Amino acid sequence: MNKQASFSNKKTARIAGLLYLVVVLTGIFSLAYVPSKLIVWDNAPATVLNIKTAEFLFRLGIVSSLVCYTFFLFLPLALYRLLKTVNGNCAKLMVILAVISVPVSFVNVLNKFAVLNLVGDDSYLKVFTNDQLQAQVMFYLNLYNSGILILKIFWGLWLFPFGYLVFKSGFLPKILGILLMAGCVGYLLDFSGAMLLPHYNAMGISSFIRLPASIAEIGTCFWLLIMGAKESPTGKISA
């Protein structure tokens, strides 16, 4: 392997790591931090008041979601460039399963735009009572969460070919590949539990089921960003 190919591979890995970092940070902010500050699922009046009081934070959450999904469109393409020599067909499958979630994600954000409209002061909203407006706000927030539940299928599925490629690459830690594949199973179990068990969310096990995926994705992100990618034992490299 020549030095130019090695440099190109490390550069590609670090670009993928940077894209992954943006996805991770904006995802945590929009999917975890903002809802924890504004949404009280069993209290519609409190939720509406929180959103009206901190409307900028709610809007920032929307922007963060859109940034997250935009960067997630480019992330698998960078990973494909890095991992295509390991298994071309598997790398293509990884890209397809990841990218297919992006348009669904953007459409799902429209539910949050609907919430913004409902908490506004437009004159046409005066035909609704406060109770009706609050009920509609919760309806769209729940609809958004249902969209996230569907997206978990693809957020899980793309991790399996990704994990397999990492495991077989020879230039990334095998443990990350194992955890990524386990993360796929975790996401699918999380989706199945939420769909089939009425009180699944109250059980408090969702975060534990998704833990392998969280560890694997954050770990892979920082490994790519800090360590880059070394030459594989076979000398195969994506340049």
Side-chain angles (χ1 to χ4, degrees):
M1 182 191 73
N2 57 48
K3 292 182 179 179
Q4 184 177 1
S6 176
F7 174 77
S8 177
N9 197 60
K10 285 184 178 294
K11 182 179 179 181
T12 301
R14 290 193 168 116
I15 289 172
L18 182 60
L19 291 169
Y20 221 146
L21 182 62
V22 175
V23 170
V24 167
L25 293 179
T26 53
I28 290 173
F29 181 78
S30 60
L31 292 172
Y33 179 78
V34 174
S36 72
K37 293 297 180 181
L38 300 180
I39 301 175
V40 184
W41 290 107
D42 59 352
N43 192 330
T47 297
V48 173
L49 179 61
N50 289 340
I51 294 173
K52 285 184 175 181
T53 304
E55 185 177 324
F56 178 75
L57 179 61
F58 189 78
R59 289 177 177 273
L60 197 60
I62 294 176
V63 173
S64 181
S65 293
L66 298 177
V67 171
C68 177
Y69 302 143
T70 301
F71 275 72
F72 191 65
L73 178 63
F74 295 106
L75 171 61
L77 301 178
L79 291 171
Y80 174 80
R81 180 174 173 81
L82 180 67
L83 298 166
K84 63 184 178 180
T85 57
V86 179
N87 186 311
N89 289 332
C90 193
K92 290 175 184 176
L93 179 62
M94 173 191 70
V95 172
I96 292 170
L97 291 173
V99 170
I100 199 172
S101 72
V102 175
V104 181
S105 299
F106 274 97
V107 171
N108 192 40
V109 175
L110 288 174
N111 291 301
K112 287 194 171 182
F113 279 98
V115 171
L116 269 182
N117 289 332
L118 289 169
V119 299
D121 55 2
D122 293 305
S123 58
Y124 67 84
L125 295 172
K126 293 178 181 178
V127 300
F128 300 108
T129 66
N130 284 336
D131 287 344
Q132 289 173 329
L133 287 172
Q134 292 165 4
Q136 288 187 70
V137 166
M138 299 309 294
F139 171 80
Y140 282 108
L141 289 174
N142 276 284
L143 197 59
Y144 174 80
N145 264 13
S146 297
I148 294 296
L149 187 61
I150 294 172
L151 285 165
K152 284 181 180 180
I153 298 173
F154 298 102
W155 291 349
L157 286 176
W158 89 286
L159 292 180
F160 197 89
F162 180 25
Y164 174 80
L165 291 167
V166 169
F167 182 80
K168 299 292 288 185
S169 68
F171 52 84
L172 293 170
K174 289 183 180 294
I175 185 62
L176 290 176
I178 293 171
L179 287 172
L180 285 166
M181 288 185 282
C184 167
V185 177
Y187 266 116
L188 296 180
L189 287 175
D190 195 40
F191 167 80
S192 300
M195 282 300 299
L196 301 175
L197 302 175
H199 304 293
Y200 175 76
N201 291 331
M203 295 178 184
I205 61 174
S206 178
S207 57
F208 294 102
I209 290 177
R210 296 198 313 269
L211 188 60
S214 300
I215 295 173
E217 293 199 80
I218 293 173
T220 303
C221 165
F222 283 105
W223 184 276
L224 291 170
L225 189 61
I226 297 170
M227 302 300 292
K230 63 182 179 179
E231 182 185 5
S232 69
T234 61
K236 291 183 179 181
I237 211 77
S238 291

